[in-house]
Amino acid sequence: MSYKRPSQRQPCTLRPLSAELSPLHRSDGSASLKCGNTHIMAAVHGPIAPRVPNRERYDRGVVSVAFSKGLLMMANSAVSGGVGSDSVAGQGASGETHANNFLTGMTPLPVPLPSGGGATERELEYFVRDALSSCILLERYPRCVIQVVIQIVQADGGALGTSLNCAVLALMDAGVAMRGVPVASTCIVINNLFDEKIACEKMEFDGANESASKEVIWLDPTAEEESGEGLAVV
């Protein structure tokens, strides 16, 4: 296939991955996950008794997911407006999304969540919550809540899938019982019929008798690739 990705990767090639467990010390479990230039941090609090009585279930636990709206950066980085490796995530409590200034010289900055195919922030939280609830043995934690706070430190495509993977790592670090370990990945589905030049190239490559309307799938897209004509699927 002659259709090249903007990132110059093969369609099924993932970006470099790096993970760290327990980067935060004020939570029961935490994790940091980098996928290319996308950097996510997650913290898990619990299982603990819910502060709001009507949130508890007598026969099982409840999962609460919140995306942190603030980003902590070094003061000099805040002046330049860049997002570098010195960025760290704050920790949340009681399901609220707020940053915790636990290092000197850190300044909270409002950082909007990356687009998720038109989904709102609440819909993204529900997506991660439902995915985590399906793999956690909630029957072992009756009348308890497991709070997961996700911090998007830097977003360069695939933020939702990376957030889910980072939350799973944080749950494993907290010792939460799970029936399985889910893995998420974002892909871009592109229909070549939208691009006449691409269609012609495919016809020359595969032969004139074969249709040029086959779909191309890119795994682990960057933000530039997500902003194109393709459909993003997690």
Side-chain angles (χ1 to χ4, degrees):
M1 184 62 194
S2 58
Y3 193 11
K4 300 296 183 182
R5 302 179 65 171
S7 60
Q8 304 302 317
R9 289 181 288 137
Q10 295 297 321
C12 296
T13 303
L14 303 178
R15 292 175 291 177
L17 297 171
S18 63
E20 179 185 359
L21 295 180
S22 302
L24 306 176
H25 305 291
R26 299 184 182 181
S27 59
D28 297 304
S30 60
S32 172
L33 180 61
K34 294 182 180 179
C35 182
N37 292 328
T38 298
H39 184 194
I40 307 294
M41 298 189 76
V44 173
H45 303 270
I48 57 177
R51 296 189 178 184
V52 182
N54 60 5
R55 293 185 59 189
E56 71 176 22
R57 301 292 183 268
Y58 75 92
D59 59 340
R60 60 183 177 86
V62 176
V63 178
S64 172
V65 175
F67 279 89
S68 180
K69 296 186 179 67
L71 175 64
L72 296 180
M73 301 173 59
M74 296 301 298
N76 55 358
S77 298
V79 174
S80 61
V83 180
S85 60
D86 292 331
S87 302
V88 296
Q91 303 176 29
S94 303
E96 299 296 332
T97 55
H98 68 276
N100 185 4
N101 298 343
F102 56 89
L103 291 178
T104 305
M106 307 301 284
T107 305
L109 299 177
V111 176
L113 288 174
S115 60
T120 64
E121 176 184 342
R122 190 66 62 187
E123 290 173 335
L124 298 180
E125 293 175 351
Y126 288 167
F127 175 85
V128 177
R129 182 200 64 186
D130 293 342
L132 296 179
S133 299
S134 65
C135 65
I136 297 176
L137 296 174
L138 295 177
E139 59 273 14
R140 295 190 181 183
Y141 308 105
R143 302 185 183 275
C144 293
V145 61
I146 301 174
Q147 300 172 347
V148 181
V149 181
I150 300 174
Q151 173 73 64
I152 299 179
V153 181
Q154 185 172 350
D156 184 28
L160 180 56
T162 307
S163 298
L164 178 57
N165 293 333
C166 188
V168 171
L169 290 176
L171 289 171
M172 296 172 61
D173 185 52
V176 176
M178 307 172 68
R179 59 173 52 91
V181 179
V183 178
S185 179
T186 304
C187 64
I188 297 293
V189 181
I190 300 176
N191 192 331
N192 294 345
L193 198 59
F194 292 141
D195 195 321
E196 296 181 359
K197 180 179 178 182
I198 297 170
C200 293
E201 291 177 353
K202 182 170 180 59
M203 291 180 66
E204 294 176 359
F205 182 81
D206 293 337
N209 295 329
E210 186 173 347
S211 174
S213 61
K214 287 186 177 180
E215 295 178 338
V216 177
I217 298 178
W218 291 346
L219 290 181
D220 192 20
T222 62
E224 179 184 1
E225 294 170 345
E226 284 185 343
S227 62
E229 296 179 345
L231 174 66
V233 180
V234 179

